[in-house]
């Protein structure tokens, strides 16, 4: 009788659970039994592992083989357990030293020829193993750079089961020939990308995708001085933004340039974003670490599951998680399903989304900056003078009511994009500021906020609770008088008052002030309500 164990990781969302893979050999009719709540893909590993072991030159044990995955109550899915199952079987058959694999975490899919294929979710899996105290992991060679992002963990990247056997037996490690000639796509990377998963989601790309030097320039936007300032305030404080205006005004252009005025991700944020993209299958091969804020722009026909996450079996990350620490842009927001939009209300407040399914409950990160864009009416000409809008008033009201009050109450900035004039389009008034100039002001404002919030659990003004702002971080005396009057008149809710105060702090940071004054609050109120307050955005949000 032989027994051996190895370890692997089961992913539930972006959280991992270390699974002990136990192999037991007993005399009897040759059979292979796999237990421990495996899914269909994992059950099929019996045939993959058997063929991979034989084609790697090792003898398959002709005994009764039982492989158990513990803890048995945790659902396990995917082909990432193949490598651990093969190692445990070889250890039980004493073809490798059982002690050498007892504390080894192995993650990878096996081909029938013994080659190790990459799988999704390597980074969160290795993070879970490191948190559980494991310090040695074996992963596919193509995923070694991603696994190496976790500190204090020794990573071994292997191309085949033959190489792993040679390492465990102190033999000569064979050289594996590349699967495809240079210049052709590697079929081994097919398992990392989910077909169609990156449509409208993922990383902010430059004009030609050749680097940050070619990013979209904010100076390309004609006119829209108020909307540009609102975009700067949104980036500096992490405030949600609603752009309303006629077609062709530049709402989409503004949203596409927002990720590039955001500061690069910190190391911790990069790891969080990379983990989500790795699990979702949209992490670009050869780019193990995401350093720029992601940009996600789903189509207005997207379902609630595609926005917040879900699907059959274990829930998958949705658009709100793919936009974590980045921008979620909902173009034609009024065309989205009402239930799908209202499902965003909880992650907008908490910064995460909790999805309950029969297979389990998953908590996914979802701290994003939301930008909504919508036309004022179905034809889009309602706010244009002399444009001939023929939409009846009742149709306009129903169209605008598709964005519910509770959702809009969570949006800090509401700006109407003005129609572009001929002089603006021809550049007769001069080009606006470039992305680099605005990004530098945003960085300085965020640095000022970071110093102020250094001893707190918050990093951006949009994250600070209203109670904290009203009691311990009060604005200048009398600065909130106008906002309090608006609340008494019903123009602001209690949540709206807190959000005005948060925006006022961001405006003060952009102006280099220690705390908001009446002008900063007036600018915040104008951005919130759209009612002129006698303060211009150029004076309130400029340098």
């Amino acid at each position: 009788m032989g027994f051996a164990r190895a370890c692997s990781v089961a992913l539930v969302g972006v959280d991992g659970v270390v699974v002990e893979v136990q192999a037991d050999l007993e005399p009897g009719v040759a059979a292979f039994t796999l237990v421990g709540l495996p899914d269909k893909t994992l059950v099929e590993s019996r045939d993959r592992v058997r063929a991979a072991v034989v084609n790697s030159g090792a003898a398959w044990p002709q005994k009764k083989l039982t492989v158990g995955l513990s803890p048995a109550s945790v659902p396990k899915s995917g082909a990432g357990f193949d490598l651990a199952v093969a190692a445990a079987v070889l250890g039980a058959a004493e073809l490798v030293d059982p002690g050498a694999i007892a504390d080894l975490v192995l993650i990878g899919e096996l081909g029938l020829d013994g080659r190790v294929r990459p799988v999704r979710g390597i980074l969160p899996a290795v993070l879970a193993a490191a948190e559980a105290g494991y310090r040695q992991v074996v992963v596919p060679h193509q995923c070694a750079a991603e696994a190496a992002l976790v500190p204090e963990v020794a990573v071994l990247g292997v191309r085949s089961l033959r190489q792993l056997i040679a390492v465990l037996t102190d033999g000569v490690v064979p050289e594996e020939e590349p699967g495809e000639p240079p210049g052709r796509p590697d079929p081994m990377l097919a398992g990392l990308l989910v077909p169609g998963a990156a449509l409208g989601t993922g990383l902010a790309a430059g004009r030609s995708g050749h680097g940050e030097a070619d990013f979209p320039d904010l100076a390309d936007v004609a006119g829209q001085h108020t909307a540009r300032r609102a975009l700067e305030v949104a980036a500096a404080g992490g405030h949600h933004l609603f752009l309303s205006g006629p077609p062709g005004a530049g709402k989409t252009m503004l949203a596409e340039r927002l990720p590039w005025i955001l500061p690069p991700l910190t190391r911790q944020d990069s790891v969080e974003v990379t983990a989500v993209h790795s699990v979702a299958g949209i992490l670009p091969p050869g780019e193990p670490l995401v350093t720029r804020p992601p940009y996600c722009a789903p189509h207005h026909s997207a379902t609630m599951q595609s926005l917040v996450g879900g699907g059959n079996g274990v829930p998958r990350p949705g658009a709100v998680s793919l936009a974590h620490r980045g921008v979620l842009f909902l173009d034609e927001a009024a065309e989205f399903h009402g239930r799908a939009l209202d499902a965003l209300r909880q992650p907008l407040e908490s910064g995460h989304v909790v999805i309950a399914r029969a297979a389990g409950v998953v908590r996914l990160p979802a701290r994003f900056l939301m930008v909504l864009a919508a036309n004022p009416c179905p034809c889009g000409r309602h706010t244009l003078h002399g444009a001939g809008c023929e939409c009846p008033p009742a149709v306009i009201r129903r169209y605008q009511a598709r964005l519910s009050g509770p959702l809009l109450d969570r949006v800090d900035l509401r700006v109407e994009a003005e129609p572009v004039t001929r002089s603006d389009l021809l550049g007769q008034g001069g080009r606006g500021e470039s992305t680099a100039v605005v990004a530098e002001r945003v960085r300085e404002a965020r640095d000022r906020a970071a110093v102020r919030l250094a001893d707190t659990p918050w990093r951006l003004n949009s994250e600070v609770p209203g109670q904290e702002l009203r009691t311990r971080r009060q604005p200048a005396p009398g600065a909130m008088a106008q906002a309090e009057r608006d609340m008494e008149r019903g123009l602001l809710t209690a949540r709206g008052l807190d959000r005005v105060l948060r925006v006022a702090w961001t405006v003060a940071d952009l102006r280099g002030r220690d705390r908001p004054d009446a002008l900063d609050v007036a600018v915040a109120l104008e951005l919130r309500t759209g009612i002129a307050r006698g303060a211009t955005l150029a004076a309130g949000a400029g340098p």
Side-chain angles (χ1 to χ4, degrees), residues 12-40:
V12 183
V14 294
D15 298 320
V17 178
V18 175
V19 173
E20 188 177 86
V21 181
Q22 303 171 339
D24 178 69
L25 284 174
E26 295 182 355
V29 178
F32 189 169
T33 304
L34 183 64
V35 298
L37 212 57
D39 71 343
K40 178 65 174 176

mmCIF file of all heavy atoms in Angstrom, residues 12-40:
data_model
loop_
_atom_site.group_PDB
_atom_site.id
_atom_site.type_symbol
_atom_site.label_atom_id
_atom_site.label_comp_id
_atom_site.label_asym_id
_atom_site.label_seq_id
_atom_site.Cartn_x
_atom_site.Cartn_y
_atom_site.Cartn_z
ATOM 1 N N VAL A 12 -12.284 30.398 -5.334
ATOM 2 C CA VAL A 12 -13.685 30.776 -5.198
ATOM 3 C C VAL A 12 -13.730 32.283 -5.429
ATOM 4 O O VAL A 12 -13.456 33.063 -4.520
ATOM 5 C CB VAL A 12 -14.253 30.403 -3.817
ATOM 6 C CG1 VAL A 12 -15.731 30.756 -3.749
ATOM 7 C CG2 VAL A 12 -14.039 28.931 -3.536
ATOM 8 N N GLY A 13 -14.069 32.687 -6.647
ATOM 9 C CA GLY A 13 -13.928 34.092 -6.994
ATOM 10 C C GLY A 13 -12.455 34.412 -7.159
ATOM 11 O O GLY A 13 -11.749 33.799 -7.944
ATOM 12 N N VAL A 14 -11.976 35.403 -6.410
ATOM 13 C CA VAL A 14 -10.552 35.736 -6.418
ATOM 14 C C VAL A 14 -9.890 35.321 -5.110
ATOM 15 O O VAL A 14 -8.742 35.689 -4.856
ATOM 16 C CB VAL A 14 -10.339 37.247 -6.655
ATOM 17 C CG1 VAL A 14 -10.784 37.638 -8.046
ATOM 18 C CG2 VAL A 14 -11.064 38.076 -5.603
ATOM 19 N N ASP A 15 -10.588 34.557 -4.290
ATOM 20 C CA ASP A 15 -10.027 34.024 -3.058
ATOM 21 C C ASP A 15 -9.685 32.554 -3.262
ATOM 22 O O ASP A 15 -10.392 31.824 -3.970
ATOM 23 C CB ASP A 15 -11.014 34.168 -1.894
ATOM 24 C CG ASP A 15 -11.335 35.627 -1.601
ATOM 25 O OD1 ASP A 15 -10.394 36.441 -1.658
ATOM 26 O OD2 ASP A 15 -12.509 35.943 -1.315
ATOM 27 N N GLY A 16 -8.592 32.128 -2.649
ATOM 28 C CA GLY A 16 -8.138 30.760 -2.818
ATOM 29 C C GLY A 16 -8.162 29.971 -1.528
ATOM 30 O O GLY A 16 -8.001 30.526 -0.434
ATOM 31 N N VAL A 17 -8.363 28.676 -1.657
ATOM 32 C CA VAL A 17 -8.330 27.740 -0.531
ATOM 33 C C VAL A 17 -7.329 26.642 -0.880
ATOM 34 O O VAL A 17 -7.447 26.004 -1.935
ATOM 35 C CB VAL A 17 -9.724 27.128 -0.262
ATOM 36 C CG1 VAL A 17 -9.651 26.126 0.888
ATOM 37 C CG2 VAL A 17 -10.741 28.213 0.039
ATOM 38 N N VAL A 18 -6.350 26.435 -0.019
ATOM 39 C CA VAL A 18 -5.362 25.382 -0.262
ATOM 40 C C VAL A 18 -6.033 24.024 -0.119
ATOM 41 O O VAL A 18 -6.716 23.742 0.869
ATOM 42 C CB VAL A 18 -4.175 25.506 0.706
ATOM 43 C CG1 VAL A 18 -3.210 24.337 0.520
ATOM 44 C CG2 VAL A 18 -3.452 26.823 0.474
ATOM 45 N N VAL A 19 -5.857 23.169 -1.121
ATOM 46 C CA VAL A 19 -6.470 21.845 -1.151
ATOM 47 C C VAL A 19 -5.364 20.792 -1.062
ATOM 48 O O VAL A 19 -4.369 20.869 -1.795
ATOM 49 C CB VAL A 19 -7.295 21.649 -2.443
ATOM 50 C CG1 VAL A 19 -7.803 20.217 -2.553
ATOM 51 C CG2 VAL A 19 -8.452 22.635 -2.480
ATOM 52 N N GLU A 20 -5.544 19.865 -0.161
ATOM 53 C CA GLU A 20 -4.602 18.750 -0.039
ATOM 54 C C GLU A 20 -5.053 17.624 -0.967
ATOM 55 O O GLU A 20 -6.166 17.103 -0.847
ATOM 56 C CB GLU A 20 -4.537 18.254 1.398
ATOM 57 C CG GLU A 20 -3.442 17.240 1.651
ATOM 58 C CD GLU A 20 -3.363 16.821 3.104
ATOM 59 O OE1 GLU A 20 -4.104 15.879 3.488
ATOM 60 O OE2 GLU A 20 -2.588 17.434 3.858
ATOM 61 N N VAL A 21 -4.178 17.250 -1.895
ATOM 62 C CA VAL A 21 -4.461 16.182 -2.854
ATOM 63 C C VAL A 21 -3.801 14.909 -2.341
ATOM 64 O O VAL A 21 -2.568 14.808 -2.309
ATOM 65 C CB VAL A 21 -3.937 16.548 -4.249
ATOM 66 C CG1 VAL A 21 -4.259 15.435 -5.242
ATOM 67 C CG2 VAL A 21 -4.534 17.868 -4.721
ATOM 68 N N GLN A 22 -4.601 13.957 -1.915
ATOM 69 C CA GLN A 22 -4.109 12.712 -1.320
ATOM 70 C C GLN A 22 -4.313 11.562 -2.301
ATOM 71 O O GLN A 22 -5.390 11.423 -2.886
ATOM 72 C CB GLN A 22 -4.839 12.410 -0.018
ATOM 73 C CG GLN A 22 -4.740 13.523 1.021
ATOM 74 C CD GLN A 22 -5.649 13.276 2.206
ATOM 75 O OE1 GLN A 22 -6.614 12.517 2.126
ATOM 76 N NE2 GLN A 22 -5.350 13.931 3.316
ATOM 77 N N ALA A 23 -3.282 10.747 -2.469
ATOM 78 C CA ALA A 23 -3.350 9.576 -3.347
ATOM 79 C C ALA A 23 -3.079 8.322 -2.527
ATOM 80 O O ALA A 23 -2.092 8.263 -1.776
ATOM 81 C CB ALA A 23 -2.343 9.702 -4.480
ATOM 82 N N ASP A 24 -3.941 7.333 -2.678
ATOM 83 C CA ASP A 24 -3.818 6.083 -1.916
ATOM 84 C C ASP A 24 -3.856 4.910 -2.889
ATOM 85 O O ASP A 24 -4.780 4.803 -3.714
ATOM 86 C CB ASP A 24 -4.955 5.969 -0.900
ATOM 87 C CG ASP A 24 -4.902 4.668 -0.125
ATOM 88 O OD1 ASP A 24 -3.976 4.502 0.684
ATOM 89 O OD2 ASP A 24 -5.794 3.814 -0.353
ATOM 90 N N LEU A 25 -2.860 4.019 -2.804
ATOM 91 C CA LEU A 25 -2.780 2.815 -3.631
ATOM 92 C C LEU A 25 -2.993 1.586 -2.772
ATOM 93 O O LEU A 25 -2.360 1.428 -1.719
ATOM 94 C CB LEU A 25 -1.418 2.735 -4.323
ATOM 95 C CG LEU A 25 -1.186 3.649 -5.532
ATOM 96 C CD1 LEU A 25 0.260 3.540 -5.992
ATOM 97 C CD2 LEU A 25 -2.133 3.288 -6.668
ATOM 98 N N GLU A 26 -3.896 0.719 -3.196
ATOM 99 C CA GLU A 26 -4.189 -0.506 -2.467
ATOM 100 C C GLU A 26 -4.268 -1.663 -3.456
ATOM 101 O O GLU A 26 -4.601 -1.469 -4.632
ATOM 102 C CB GLU A 26 -5.514 -0.388 -1.709
ATOM 103 C CG GLU A 26 -5.512 0.651 -0.600
ATOM 104 C CD GLU A 26 -6.835 0.675 0.139
ATOM 105 O OE1 GLU A 26 -7.760 -0.057 -0.287
ATOM 106 O OE2 GLU A 26 -6.953 1.428 1.114
ATOM 107 N N PRO A 27 -3.975 -2.886 -2.998
ATOM 108 C CA PRO A 27 -4.123 -4.053 -3.883
ATOM 109 C C PRO A 27 -5.578 -4.212 -4.312
ATOM 110 O O PRO A 27 -6.502 -3.961 -3.547
ATOM 111 C CB PRO A 27 -3.658 -5.219 -3.011
ATOM 112 C CG PRO A 27 -2.811 -4.595 -1.948
ATOM 113 C CD PRO A 27 -3.402 -3.258 -1.683
ATOM 114 N N GLY A 28 -5.776 -4.607 -5.529
ATOM 115 C CA GLY A 28 -7.125 -4.804 -6.037
ATOM 116 C C GLY A 28 -7.170 -4.554 -7.524
ATOM 117 O O GLY A 28 -6.146 -4.365 -8.193
ATOM 118 N N VAL A 29 -8.397 -4.588 -8.038
ATOM 119 C CA VAL A 29 -8.601 -4.351 -9.465
ATOM 120 C C VAL A 29 -8.200 -2.913 -9.788
ATOM 121 O O VAL A 29 -8.570 -1.974 -9.070
ATOM 122 C CB VAL A 29 -10.060 -4.609 -9.856
ATOM 123 C CG1 VAL A 29 -10.284 -4.310 -11.341
ATOM 124 C CG2 VAL A 29 -10.450 -6.045 -9.537
ATOM 125 N N ALA A 30 -7.434 -2.740 -10.870
ATOM 126 C CA ALA A 30 -6.968 -1.410 -11.245
ATOM 127 C C ALA A 30 -8.153 -0.491 -11.523
ATOM 128 O O ALA A 30 -9.020 -0.801 -12.350
ATOM 129 C CB ALA A 30 -6.071 -1.500 -12.481
ATOM 130 N N ALA A 31 -8.189 0.596 -10.796
ATOM 131 C CA ALA A 31 -9.262 1.583 -10.944
ATOM 132 C C ALA A 31 -8.749 2.927 -10.446
ATOM 133 O O ALA A 31 -7.796 3.003 -9.671
ATOM 134 C CB ALA A 31 -10.509 1.161 -10.169
ATOM 135 N N PHE A 32 -9.393 3.985 -10.905
ATOM 136 C CA PHE A 32 -9.003 5.346 -10.527
ATOM 137 C C PHE A 32 -10.271 6.061 -10.057
ATOM 138 O O PHE A 32 -11.169 6.330 -10.852
ATOM 139 C CB PHE A 32 -8.383 6.056 -11.727
ATOM 140 C CG PHE A 32 -7.741 7.385 -11.399
ATOM 141 C CD1 PHE A 32 -6.956 8.029 -12.342
ATOM 142 C CD2 PHE A 32 -7.903 8.013 -10.167
ATOM 143 C CE1 PHE A 32 -6.353 9.254 -12.066
ATOM 144 C CE2 PHE A 32 -7.307 9.224 -9.876
ATOM 145 C CZ PHE A 32 -6.532 9.851 -10.830
ATOM 146 N N THR A 33 -10.337 6.359 -8.777
ATOM 147 C CA THR A 33 -11.484 7.033 -8.190
ATOM 148 C C THR A 33 -11.048 8.407 -7.692
ATOM 149 O O THR A 33 -10.045 8.524 -6.972
ATOM 150 C CB THR A 33 -12.071 6.230 -7.027
ATOM 151 O OG1 THR A 33 -12.406 4.918 -7.490
ATOM 152 C CG2 THR A 33 -13.313 6.908 -6.478
ATOM 153 N N LEU A 34 -11.811 9.429 -8.058
ATOM 154 C CA LEU A 34 -11.520 10.802 -7.638
ATOM 155 C C LEU A 34 -12.683 11.309 -6.804
ATOM 156 O O LEU A 34 -13.835 11.330 -7.259
ATOM 157 C CB LEU A 34 -11.322 11.698 -8.870
ATOM 158 C CG LEU A 34 -10.933 13.151 -8.610
ATOM 159 C CD1 LEU A 34 -9.561 13.240 -7.951
ATOM 160 C CD2 LEU A 34 -10.923 13.931 -9.925
ATOM 161 N N VAL A 35 -12.419 11.722 -5.563
ATOM 162 C CA VAL A 35 -13.457 12.183 -4.651
ATOM 163 C C VAL A 35 -13.057 13.546 -4.100
ATOM 164 O O VAL A 35 -11.896 13.955 -4.162
ATOM 165 C CB VAL A 35 -13.665 11.188 -3.493
ATOM 166 C CG1 VAL A 35 -14.136 9.842 -4.003
ATOM 167 C CG2 VAL A 35 -12.395 11.028 -2.666
ATOM 168 N N GLY A 36 -14.059 14.269 -3.558
ATOM 169 C CA GLY A 36 -13.776 15.569 -2.956
ATOM 170 C C GLY A 36 -14.504 16.720 -3.619
ATOM 171 O O GLY A 36 -13.995 17.831 -3.654
ATOM 172 N N LEU A 37 -15.701 16.491 -4.161
ATOM 173 C CA LEU A 37 -16.542 17.508 -4.776
ATOM 174 C C LEU A 37 -15.894 18.132 -6.013
ATOM 175 O O LEU A 37 -15.788 19.352 -6.132
ATOM 176 C CB LEU A 37 -16.885 18.604 -3.750
ATOM 177 C CG LEU A 37 -18.252 19.302 -3.898
ATOM 178 C CD1 LEU A 37 -19.376 18.281 -3.859
ATOM 179 C CD2 LEU A 37 -18.436 20.344 -2.820
ATOM 180 N N PRO A 38 -15.435 17.288 -6.970
ATOM 181 C CA PRO A 38 -14.871 17.840 -8.217
ATOM 182 C C PRO A 38 -15.968 18.154 -9.214
ATOM 183 O O PRO A 38 -17.050 17.559 -9.197
ATOM 184 C CB PRO A 38 -13.983 16.705 -8.711
ATOM 185 C CG PRO A 38 -14.685 15.467 -8.242
ATOM 186 C CD PRO A 38 -15.340 15.817 -6.925
ATOM 187 N N ASP A 39 -15.703 19.105 -10.126
ATOM 188 C CA ASP A 39 -16.646 19.372 -11.200
ATOM 189 C C ASP A 39 -16.313 18.485 -12.403
ATOM 190 O O ASP A 39 -15.412 17.638 -12.339
ATOM 191 C CB ASP A 39 -16.636 20.856 -11.578
ATOM 192 C CG ASP A 39 -15.361 21.261 -12.293
ATOM 193 O OD1 ASP A 39 -14.368 20.513 -12.217
ATOM 194 O OD2 ASP A 39 -15.354 22.336 -12.924
ATOM 195 N N LYS A 40 -17.031 18.680 -13.499
ATOM 196 C CA LYS A 40 -16.857 17.815 -14.658
ATOM 197 C C LYS A 40 -15.442 17.898 -15.208
ATOM 198 O O LYS A 40 -14.835 16.877 -15.563
ATOM 199 C CB LYS A 40 -17.869 18.222 -15.742
ATOM 200 C CG LYS A 40 -17.769 17.424 -17.035
ATOM 201 C CD LYS A 40 -18.118 15.960 -16.820
ATOM 202 C CE LYS A 40 -18.157 15.212 -18.131
ATOM 203 N NZ LYS A 40 -18.410 13.777 -17.958
#
